[in-house]
C-alpha cells in the first residue's frame, strides 16, 4: 500500500511539474515531436519580425516563437489575438524585455484548429481599448492549419 501511494504521488508530481513548464520549454518539447505542425510566421510589412507556430500532434497545444519584435514605448504592449468565424478574442497581453525572441503559449480553452488565425498587435499598456479587436498596428497574422488532429 505504501508503494502504491508513493507511486501515485510520483505520478502526480510529474504531472504537476509539467504544468509549470515555461513556454520556451513547451516549444522545445513540441519541436521534438515528429508529427507536430510547424507554421512559419512572417510580418505583414517590411518588418524583420518572424517566427514559428508549433502545434502538438494531438492539436491541443500550441506555442509561438516570435523573433525581432518591434520596439515598444513604455506605454505600449503586445496583444495576441485568437480569430475565428465569430471574430477576435484577446489571447493576452505581453511585454518583451528582449524583443529578439519571445515564446507565447496559445491559450487552449478549446482545440487549436477551431481558430482561423492568430495575430499580434501593438496596443496601449492595458490592451486594446476596443476589447474584442485590435486598435493598434498589426505585427503579424498566421493562419492556423485546419488539419490538426484535434477535434476530428
Amino acid at each position: 500500500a505504501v508503494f502504491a501511494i508513493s507511486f501515485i504521488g510520483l505520478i502526480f508530481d510529474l504531472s504537476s511539474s509539467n504544468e509549470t513548464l515555461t513556454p520556451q520549454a513547451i516549444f522545445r518539447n513540441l519541436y521534438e515531436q515528429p508529427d507536430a505542425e510547424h507554421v512559419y510566421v512572417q510580418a505583414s510589412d517590411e518588418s524583420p519580425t518572424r517566427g514559428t507556430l508549433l502545434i502538438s500532434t494531438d492539436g491541443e497545444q500550441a506555442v509561438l516563437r516570435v523573433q525581432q519584435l518591434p520596439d515598444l514605448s513604455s506605454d505600449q504592449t503586445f496583444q495576441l489575438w485568437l480569430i475565428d468565424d465569430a471574430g477576435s478574442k484577446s489571447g493576452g497581453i505581453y511585454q518583451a524585455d528582449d524583443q529578439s525572441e519571445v515564446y507565447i503559449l496559445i491559450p487552449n480553452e478549446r482545440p487549436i484548429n477551431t481558430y482561423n488565425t492568430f495575430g499580434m498587435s501593438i496596443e496601449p499598456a492595458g490592451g486594446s481599448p476596443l476589447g474584442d479587436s485590435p486598435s493598434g498596428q498589426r505585427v503579424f497574422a498566421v493562419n492556423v492549419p485546419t488539419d490538426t488532429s484535434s477535434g476530428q
Side-chain angles (χ1 to χ4, degrees), residues 82-135:
L82 312 173
I83 304 161
D84 62 16
D85 292 339
S88 303
K89 176 184 174 185
S90 176
I93 57 175
Y94 301 89
Q95 290 294 328
D97 296 332
D98 176 12
Q99 270 81 354
S100 64
E101 190 167 74
V102 176
Y103 293 84
I104 299 171
L105 184 63
I106 303 295
N108 62 346
E109 299 164 356
R110 60 185 228 211
I112 300 300
N113 70 344
T114 62
Y115 296 103
N116 300 329
T117 307
F118 299 133
M120 182 176 280
S121 61
I122 297 174
E123 299 294 343
S128 173
L130 303 177
D132 61 354
S133 64
S135 68

Side-chain angles (χ1 to χ4, degrees), residues 16 48 57 70 75 81 91 108 122 127 149-150 152:
S16 296
T57 304
D75 62 343
W81 296 100
N108 62 346
I122 297 174
S149 63
S150 174
Q152 294 180 3

Side-chain angles (χ1 to χ4, degrees), residues 9-91:
L10 176 63
I11 291 172
F12 180 74
D13 286 343
L14 291 174
S15 65
S16 296
S17 67
N18 194 27
E19 294 172 12
T20 61
L21 289 176
T22 65
Q24 184 175 7
I26 295 169
F27 184 92
R28 280 194 307 266
N29 289 344
L30 291 177
Y31 192 82
E32 293 172 3
Q33 289 184 8
D35 296 329
E37 186 83 36
H38 293 237
V39 182
Y40 183 68
V41 176
Q42 178 66 48
S44 56
D45 54 16
E46 298 300 318
S47 167
T49 300
R50 65 186 190 286
T52 305
L53 169 66
L54 291 183
I55 303 171
S56 63
T57 304
D58 64 7
E60 293 295 323
Q61 194 171 46
V63 179
L64 269 167
R65 178 183 66 190
V66 185
Q67 299 165 305
Q68 298 180 320
L69 286 166
D71 291 328
L72 297 178
S73 65
S74 62
D75 62 343
Q76 292 178 314
T77 190
F78 295 107
Q79 189 161 6
L80 178 69
W81 296 100
L82 312 173
I83 304 161
D84 62 16
D85 292 339
S88 303
K89 176 184 174 185
S90 176

